[in-house]
């Protein structure tokens, strides 16, 4: 984990060295809906052979740091995302316990802003990520807690940013950030 954090820091600092004099930075907070984690959880439920009800899915909460590297149009970024899913476990029509899934994702990506006005931006991009998943089963279920990880992705099909320094954004895409994600960002 220390090596991963060191790599991340060097990676981010490296892009700052190559950024032009007029570089811009962007920090954003967002929430996403209909993520790849939800899809993979559904597949896992089907494969497990167990039945689940009362599924409760939180939005994905994201924190992103971007910096521009070419003409204030091409951004590179690092982000972290968190999502939780809880479900009741059913066996022979009776609830035998519950499970809480927690997904923590770290991603690195790039966006190209093909419209970059002072008050409006449109962009597309992609990121690759690693997701860590923990499944905590209640003792009554008789199942053991599980932890695993997997590579993940996100494709920003169309992103829109409205505002100047402080702005709102909406991104339509697919992956760990969701089919739709929105939030606020601050550029400086």
């Amino acid at each position: 984990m220390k090596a991963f954090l060191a790599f991340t820091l060097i990676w981010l600092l490296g892009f700052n060295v190559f950024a032009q004099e007029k570089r811009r930075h962007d920090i954003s907070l967002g929430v996403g809906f209909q993520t790849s984690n939800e899809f993979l959880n559904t597949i896992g439920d089907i494969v497990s052979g167990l039945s689940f009800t009362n599924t409760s899915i939180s939005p994905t909460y994201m924190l992103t740091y971007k910096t521009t590297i070419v003409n204030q149009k091409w951004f590179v970024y690092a982000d972290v995302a968190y999502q939780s899913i809880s479900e009741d476990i059913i066996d022979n029509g009776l609830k035998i316990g519950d499970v809480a899934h927690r997904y923590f994702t770290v991603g690195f990506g790039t966006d190209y802003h093909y419209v970059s006005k002072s008050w409006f931006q449109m962009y597309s991009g992609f990121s690759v990520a690693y997701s860590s998943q923990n499944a905590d089963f209640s003792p009554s279920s008789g199942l053991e807690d599980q932890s695993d990880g997997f590579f993940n992705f996100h494709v920003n099909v169309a992103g829109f940013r409205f505002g100047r320094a402080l702005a709102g954004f909406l991104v339509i895409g697919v992956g760990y950030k969701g089919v739709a994600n929105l939030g606020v960002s601050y550029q400086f």
Side-chain angles (χ1 to χ4, degrees):
M1 186 65 166
K2 289 180 185 179
F4 179 75
L5 291 174
F7 171 77
T8 302
L9 182 61
I10 291 169
W11 187 78
L12 288 173
L13 291 175
F15 281 115
N16 282 332
V17 170
F18 294 111
Q20 296 180 359
E21 188 172 311
K22 293 183 178 182
R23 70 177 174 253
R24 277 201 317 213
H25 304 277
D26 183 302
I27 295 177
S28 63
L29 294 171
V31 294
F33 306 93
Q34 298 297 318
T35 68
S36 59
N37 297 331
E38 294 171 44
F39 175 75
L40 292 172
N41 187 72
T42 301
I43 297 299
D45 287 355
I46 292 168
V47 170
S48 74
L50 297 170
S51 296
F52 298 89
T53 61
N54 298 327
T55 302
S56 175
I57 301 171
S58 78
T60 293
Y61 300 100
M62 299 165 285
L63 172 64
T64 304
Y65 168 75
K66 297 180 182 182
T67 187
T68 184
I69 60 173
V70 176
N71 297 331
Q72 297 180 342
K73 288 190 173 216
W74 183 24
F75 284 79
V76 294
Y77 63 86
D79 59 10
V80 294
Y82 173 81
Q83 183 175 27
S84 66
I85 300 173
S86 62
E87 305 171 293
D88 291 341
I89 305 168
I90 306 299
D91 187 25
N92 293 325
L94 298 172
K95 178 181 173 183
I96 62 168
D98 53 56
V99 60
H101 303 274
R102 286 185 296 284
Y103 297 89
F104 180 74
T105 303
V106 177
F108 299 99
T110 184
D111 282 334
Y112 183 76
H113 292 230
Y114 42 89
V115 175
S116 189
K117 304 290 183 191
S118 63
W119 59 273
F120 176 72
Q121 298 170 19
M122 285 180 60
Y123 54 93
S124 295
F126 67 93
S127 60
V128 294
Y130 185 79
S131 293
S132 173
Q133 184 239 345
N134 295 313
D136 296 326
F137 293 90
S138 63
S140 62
S141 71
L143 300 170
E144 291 186 27
D145 293 347
Q146 300 171 353
S147 294
D148 60 3
F150 52 92
F151 287 100
N152 216 327
F153 74 98
H154 190 83
V155 176
N156 293 334
V157 176
F160 307 93
R161 186 179 186 278
F162 303 94
R164 296 193 185 273
L166 183 62
F169 69 87
L170 169 66
V171 179
I172 306 301
V174 63
Y176 66 91
K177 297 179 190 181
V179 171
N181 65 77
L182 55 102
V184 295
S185 85
Y186 179 71
Q187 288 184 343
F188 56 98

